[in-house]
Amino acid sequence: MTTQAYFRPRSLAEALGLLDEHGPAMLVMAGGTLAMPLINKGVSRPEKVMGLRQAGLDYVRPVDGGVYIGAAAPLSRVRAESGVPLLAEAVKNVAGWAVQNIATAGGNLFAPPPAGDLAVALLALDAQVKLASLKRGERLVPLAEFFTGFLTNCLDPDELLVEIQVPKPAGKSVLLKYGRLYTNTPAIVSVAVRVVTENGRAKDVRIALSAVGPHPFRARQAEAALTGSSLDSSAIAAAASAAAAECEPHTDPIASAEYRRRMTGVFVQRALAQVAA
Amino acid sequence: MASKIVTFTLNGRETEVMVKPLTTLAKALREKLGFTATKCGCYEGNCGSCTVIVNGEPVLSCILPVEEVEGQNVLTLEGITPAEGLHPLQQAFHENFAIQCGFCSPGMLMVSKALLDKNPHPTQAEVAEAISGNLCRCTGYDPIIAAVLQVAAGSNGNQGGSHE
Amino acid sequence: MSDQALNTVGKSELRRDGLSHVTGKTQYVDDIQFPDMLYLKMVRSPLHHARILGIDFSEAEKVPGFVRAFTYKDVPKNLYTILCLIGVGPDEEPVLAEKEVLYKGEQIAAVVAQSEEAAIEAAARVKVDLEELPAVFDVEEALKPGAPILKPWGTNYFVYEGHHCRRVRYGNIEQGFAQADYIVEGCYEPKPIEHAPLETTGCIAKPEANGRITVYTNTQALYFSMDNTALILNVPFNKLHFVGGTVGGGFGGKVDVIVEPIAALAAMHTGHPVKYLYTREEEFHVSSTRVAYRIYFKDGVSKDGHIVARQVTSYADSGAYNRHTPYAVTKHAANISGPYDIPNVHIDAHCVYTNRVPTSAMRGFGVTSASFATELQIDKIARKLGMDPFEIRLINAYRNGDMRPYQKVVGDATLVEVIQAAAGMAHHPLSERFQAMNSWDRANSPARPEPVSAEKRS
């Protein structure tokens, strides 16, 4: 019935060893903001739980103009120390202060939409995630390939998500989150864009969306619509309507699917207009 | 299941508590140690009533396993109440009618204290953001923000009225 | 009055409970603990409308810490209605469901265990065999022939002294419409709202050595709760000692008597203190909400802005049971003509049962929804006539001495002055004639239309 063991490994090696020993029967928890409510309510009754707070994964480390973020880094640390665009703005939109102190960068990637505000920024920044297993070692996966569906991802049962790697960002970027309130509010839509221009033309375009699909994703058709353009208003409008067309919004108590789709177009347009300005 | 003893500093005193695995800090404080000023309005990390300060940072005690505060400094509302009189924030909440049913007040006071400790002169927007994870259903947020700003103004030698 | 020295009026007094609140010393229900306390969790209906074919506790009983389960058979007087204390009847809500459940989340069986975790697990292991029945969620659908019938008396409406709705009759509505220059219709639908108090609903019932039960509760209605609990448990009132008054937010959401009777019953049977505190999820899913209404207006209006006739057909969604809604609908019917002097009024306000969560009191219940609708309606009339929204209200505002449609003479009106003050604060210019109006006479007011004929209220 109640949890029999709560493991608090002191290193990544110890954590991977525990995962290897106990397998999927053991719940892996970072900050616990997703798992603990379910455990408190008795909805989730894991026999064994592993907490990653002490596993040495709470770093935020600048690397070559980019940043490597330990999976268990509290969001408040990411907000204060990331040193790259978008991330502080993304964290600012996650719940309240006390939650930002508990919730982690890695854990946020497992939040069910419309929660999970970090991924949309990381997608626009071309982030990769490092997955590690005791027996098979480490692999790097682009974040865009990490998500596979609603609450599903490419993480194997013997793997931990241990690090998020953000390369040195180029170009201009903007993040806009639209919710009912300014802070501590679930997203109606979150948009992150990053555009690298060359000779006045969009060379590299990232348009990432959250809360309007089963998982955070890059709006590839919107990106294609803008690539090569001079960021004029008609190209931006085309990208915005492509994003509205390719998103897969759902209806929940926050907003209807129809409204989410319309706002996706509006906020992609606004974000791109800010980048072009 | 094996219970274990967790040791931490609670309101300046070394404290031991024997808990089952994954017992939350809120349950340990309220049910094991009798420190009930900390409230739980949801037990799911959404309402902010259970906010306490750990090593200077506000956290939600209802979703934090008490084992995570082993060796750390935990401050609850009991810990900021002086032996005589009130903490300036308590006084300001009282005088500004920043309390009604009183249930959100402990969390509001703790997050406000954490804010003023880090930023003694916040703007109204900074106070609003700091308390944005703490829900109140009675007074509305304006008197609460006014109370925090009044304390901030007081600590600047600017006592009185600047929040209006 | 003006000579009297006032000690408090005009001054801000600090809250009596303020020091206790800011120091965290106020004791709420969840702050109370007893060493041998048991925890009660409820087995609830997963369906909106179903027949109960059987309940199987065998798996629940195996959970370590399980103490006992309760069904309707354990409740001495299982059927009740909260307002029986003011003569409302018949009893129609079960403490625990008997043969049927009428809403998703309805209480079917209570499980008591030595820890909260064990109670949650045991309740989850109770197997309830349900046969799903057709459900109705719309107030007008519920009144149509062929709708699933939810009440033993064969209809889906509360019966007001032999009538299918609460009726108000004043003047002659048909002649009023005939006199009108315009007919303005409108439909308004105030929605249900969850009170969402920060402290969830709950209580602890503790058996005492002298045979009494002490109930620590966060009810807003201490004596209502105690008296209903005594009736349900079939014990004299003096066997119960209710301790309350500290409410972590209520707003009308804590006036229903739901947790106390079953917790007290469990305490009587087990000899232990029993705690029954809603989870946040229960507070949202199964506690009563504000009543939702669908309100149809048909107003006859004269060219000079007088409302000369008002016909309202209103449907209140009571959800599956009465709670406080029959009373709310009476208040609603009385107030739906607004604070306006209308000579011909015809109100039909229905209290309708559906398979939704029961609705009940919330802040001005019955009246808030009426005010919402009447004020939108009068704005609509003002737009139709091209009149100023303040002036049309001043023309129609009731004055002292006016007869209300429910046969009471107005004695304490200050509406004219309030509207004038509001206009001033909003920097909305009023002509001299409107500024000179007052609530005590009709000087400077247009002639008041008289009722067409003074019919007796039916």
Side-chain angles (χ1 to χ4, degrees):
Chain A
M1 46 184 287
T2 44
T3 303
Q4 304 294 313
Y6 180 43
F7 301 110
R8 298 173 68 231
R10 300 299 167 132
S11 68
L12 175 58
E14 192 187 338
L16 291 173
L18 283 163
L19 185 61
D20 186 65
E21 183 186 341
H22 298 283
M26 183 179 72
L27 177 80
V28 179
M29 190 167 94
T33 54
L34 299 170
M36 289 301 292
L38 298 176
I39 292 169
N40 284 350
K41 280 191 258 186
V43 172
S44 165
R45 291 200 284 265
E47 211 175 289
K48 301 169 212 166
V49 179
M50 174 166 75
L52 295 178
R53 269 201 188 75
Q54 306 295 318
L57 297 172
D58 60 347
Y59 54 86
V60 174
R61 188 182 298 147
V63 178
D64 298 335
V67 64
Y68 287 7
I69 302 168
L75 290 176
S76 52
R77 180 171 296 170
V78 176
R79 184 176 178 179
E81 300 173 20
S82 81
V84 297
L86 301 186
L87 294 186
E89 185 65 24
V91 170
K92 188 182 167 191
N93 291 320
V94 179
W97 186 10
V99 170
Q100 291 173 15
N101 279 332
I102 302 177
T104 63
N108 198 256
L109 300 179
F110 294 84
D117 293 283
L118 198 59
V120 69
L122 293 169
L123 284 169
L125 293 169
D126 282 345
Q128 303 193 90
V129 287
K130 187 156 88 178
L131 313 180
S133 136
L134 182 74
K135 300 217 168 90
R136 295 184 298 140
E138 297 174 349
R139 60 179 175 134
L140 274 176
V141 177
L143 184 60
E145 291 164 28
F146 174 74
F147 299 109
T148 55
F150 182 74
L151 289 182
T152 59
N153 53 55
C154 71
L155 193 72
D156 285 327
D158 64 336
E159 283 179 317
L160 288 179
L161 191 159
V162 297
E163 187 177 81
I164 298 163
Q165 300 185 351
V166 181
K168 180 181 180 180
K172 272 181 83 176
S173 52
V174 167
L175 181 141
L176 295 176
K177 175 179 174 177
Y178 177 48
R180 288 187 167 191
L181 308 169
Y182 290 108
T183 54
N184 190 16
T185 187
I188 292 168
V189 61
S190 276
V191 177
V193 301
R194 186 170 61 89
V195 180
V196 181
T197 51
E198 196 174 79
N199 302 322
R201 303 235 158 228
K203 183 176 150 233
D204 247 339
V205 178
R206 299 288 179 272
I207 299 175
L209 300 174
S210 184
V212 288
H215 56 77
F217 63 100
R218 276 175 56 186
R220 306 272 179 176
Q221 292 174 32
E223 290 176 355
L226 198 71
T227 305
S229 78
S230 59
L231 295 177
D232 52 292
S233 58
S234 67
I236 288 175
S241 48
E246 71 186 291
C247 69
E248 299 171 45
H250 61 292
T251 294
D252 65 13
I254 311 300
S256 68
E258 182 193 359
Y259 186 62
R260 280 200 157 94
R261 189 182 295 283
R262 286 191 60 180
M263 291 304 109
T264 299
V266 168
F267 280 82
V268 168
Q269 189 276 331
R270 287 186 191 171
L272 292 174
Q274 284 186 29
V275 164
Chain B
M1 77 207 68
S3 287
K4 64 176 289 189
I5 292 170
V6 179
T7 307
F8 58 102
T9 305
L10 175 59
N11 300 331
R13 286 169 70 157
E14 187 166 307
T15 302
E16 287 187 339
V17 61
M18 183 129 109
V19 292
K20 292 174 186 169
L22 269 198
T23 299
T24 60
L25 175 57
K27 288 262 180 190
L29 287 170
R30 292 171 45 77
E31 296 177 11
K32 298 279 177 182
L33 297 166
F35 283 70
T36 56
T38 302
K39 302 300 172 207
C40 289
C42 68
Y43 288 103
E44 56 185 59
N46 276 323
C47 78
S49 303
C50 70
T51 305
V52 300
I53 297 177
V54 176
N55 295 344
E57 292 286 341
V59 298
L60 297 182
S61 61
C62 82
I63 53 169
L64 185 69
V66 64
E67 289 159 80
E68 298 295 343
V69 303
E70 173 81 46
Q72 307 197 24
N73 259 307
V74 177
L75 187 62
T76 69
L77 183 59
E78 287 96 341
I80 74 165
T81 307
E84 280 181 39
L86 297 173
H87 183 278
L89 275 166
Q90 292 174 317
Q91 189 73 36
F93 269 58
H94 187 34
E95 288 171 1
N96 285 273
F97 298 92
I99 40 162
Q100 188 169 319
C101 83
F103 203 84
C104 75
S105 308
M108 287 286 184
L109 283 160
M110 295 315 285
V111 77
S112 301
K113 166 152 172 55
L115 172 69
L116 294 186
D117 285 350
K118 285 172 183 289
N119 177 4
H121 303 293
T123 62
Q124 178 161 6
E126 285 169 338
V127 178
E129 194 195 322
I131 66 166
S132 70
N134 293 63
L135 302 181
C136 164
R137 288 287 282 174
C138 302
T139 72
Y141 300 98
D142 282 356
I144 295 169
I145 293 169
V148 178
L149 289 173
Q150 180 179 303
V151 174
S155 64
N156 198 21
N158 250 344
Q159 191 73 46
S162 66
H163 57 281
E164 286 297 336
Chain C
M1 174 83 185
S2 57
D3 295 335
Q4 200 178 322
L6 298 174
N7 296 323
T8 303
V9 173
K11 282 197 297 188
S12 269
E13 288 286 337
L14 292 178
R15 291 186 63 91
R16 197 162 53 84
D17 50 8
L19 292 175
S20 178
H21 284 350
V22 297
T23 54
K25 287 180 177 153
T26 305
Q27 195 175 47
Y28 300 86
V29 165
D30 197 25
D31 299 334
I32 300 168
Q33 268 197 93
F34 298 103
D36 56 344
M37 191 158 78
L38 304 178
Y39 297 81
L40 187 151
K41 290 287 171 185
M42 198 52 75
V43 179
R44 299 184 179 280
S45 171
L47 300 174
H48 299 288
H49 190 195
R51 189 171 291 125
I52 300 173
L53 303 177
I55 309 177
D56 177 2
F57 293 102
S58 56
E59 288 301 312
E61 287 162 2
K62 292 178 191 162
V63 173
F66 171 90
V67 175
R68 83 163 268 188
F70 295 87
T71 68
Y72 73 93
K73 290 175 188 160
D74 300 302
V75 186
K77 178 178 174 291
N78 191 49
L79 281 185
Y80 75 118
T81 193
I82 294 164
L83 292 173
C84 70
L85 302 174
I86 58 167
V88 172
D91 290 333
E92 44 84 74
E93 179 164 7
V95 175
L96 296 172
E98 300 185 358
K99 307 283 183 229
E100 218 172 279
V101 281
L102 297 187
Y103 69 95
K104 188 175 172 180
E106 182 162 357
Q107 304 191 139
I108 295 175
V111 172
V112 172
Q114 287 168 348
S115 71
E116 192 177 1
E117 293 77 13
I120 290 171
E121 184 168 4
R125 288 197 190 185
V126 174
K127 290 196 197 87
V128 183
D129 189 8
L130 295 173
E131 177 194 342
E132 187 161 10
L133 298 170
V136 60
F137 303 109
D138 181 272
V139 281
E140 288 183 87
E141 294 297 320
L143 296 181
K144 284 181 182 163
I149 295 299
L150 309 181
K151 294 295 160 176
W153 55 86
T155 66
N156 288 335
Y157 54 80
F158 180 83
V159 179
Y160 288 96
E161 286 108 36
H163 296 287
H164 68 289
C165 60
R166 176 58 81 195
R167 310 180 318 156
V168 178
R169 302 288 186 267
Y170 183 63
N172 183 310
I173 193 71
E174 289 311 324
Q175 289 184 37
F177 284 139
Q179 285 180 348
D181 298 307
Y182 303 99
I183 299 293
V184 182
E185 294 184 288
C187 177
Y188 307 96
E189 296 187 73
K191 298 297 182 192
I193 300 170
E194 167 54 34
H195 317 75
L198 261 286
E199 177 207 34
T200 59
T201 304
C203 73
I204 297 168
K206 178 174 180 280
E208 305 293 354
N210 61 9
R212 293 174 92 194
I213 305 278
T214 306
V215 180
Y216 302 88
T217 167
N218 57 25
T219 179
Q220 289 175 260
L222 200 69
Y223 290 93
F224 248 65
S225 298
M226 187 176 83
D227 294 354
N228 269 298
T229 301
L231 293 172
I232 288 164
L233 300 182
N234 196 21
V235 298
F237 291 177
N238 66 8
K239 287 286 174 208
L240 299 175
H241 175 204
F242 269 52
V243 180
T246 300
V247 184
F251 324 113
K254 287 176 179 159
V255 297
D256 298 332
V257 187
I258 309 298
V259 291
E260 295 91 348
I262 188 68
L265 180 79
M268 281 167 66
H269 279 273
T270 60
H272 287 271
V274 174
K275 179 176 184 175
Y276 179 12
L277 181 76
Y278 278 179
T279 61
R280 175 55 51 190
E281 203 165 335
E282 285 176 310
E283 191 68 40
F284 273 109
H285 284 180
V286 306
S287 78
S288 304
T289 62
R290 181 189 280 291
V291 183
Y293 286 85
R294 185 172 300 144
I295 310 165
Y296 293 99
F297 278 76
K298 181 182 175 189
D299 284 351
V301 186
S302 66
K303 278 180 194 153
D304 62 0
H306 276 287
I307 304 170
V308 296
R310 165 163 291 179
Q311 181 167 21
V312 172
T313 308
S314 185
Y315 302 94
D317 189 344
S318 186
Y321 297 105
N322 282 343
R323 304 277 167 96
H324 285 76
T325 300
Y327 175 62
V329 170
T330 295
K331 290 172 60 177
H332 176 84
N335 284 279
I336 196 76
S337 55
Y340 304 114
D341 186 44
I342 305 174
N344 303 291
V345 174
H346 182 285
I347 311 288
D348 280 354
H350 305 75
C351 175
V352 185
Y353 303 106
T354 65
N355 293 107
R356 292 181 180 273
V357 169
T359 62
S360 195
M362 183 175 187
R363 301 197 132 183
F365 61 126
V367 182
T368 320
S369 53
S371 300
F372 170 80
T374 55
E375 296 310 305
L376 290 179
Q377 174 72 2
I378 201 162
D379 279 340
K380 189 174 187 180
I381 295 168
R383 281 196 301 276
K384 170 107 177 172
L385 270 60
M387 288 185 71
D388 179 280
F390 284 83
E391 293 178 3
I392 195 169
R393 285 176 168 83
L394 287 165
I395 288 169
N396 286 284
Y398 62 8
R399 267 69 165 183
N400 289 305
D402 287 354
M403 177 64 84
R404 302 297 293 142
Y406 47 91
Q407 300 293 323
K408 293 269 189 251
V409 176
V410 178
D412 57 356
T414 52
L415 180 60
V416 170
E417 289 73 18
V418 168
I419 295 171
Q420 288 163 337
M425 292 171 84
H427 306 294
H428 185 94
L430 286 180
S431 73
E432 218 167 280
R433 176 166 79 91
F434 287 97
Q435 277 174 3
M437 289 180 178
N438 70 73
S439 287
W440 280 265
D441 61 47
R442 281 197 145 68
N444 306 299
S445 302
R448 177 184 179 228
E450 288 302 318
V452 177
S453 67
E455 272 188 6
K456 219 174 101 191
R457 180 190 178 215
S458 44

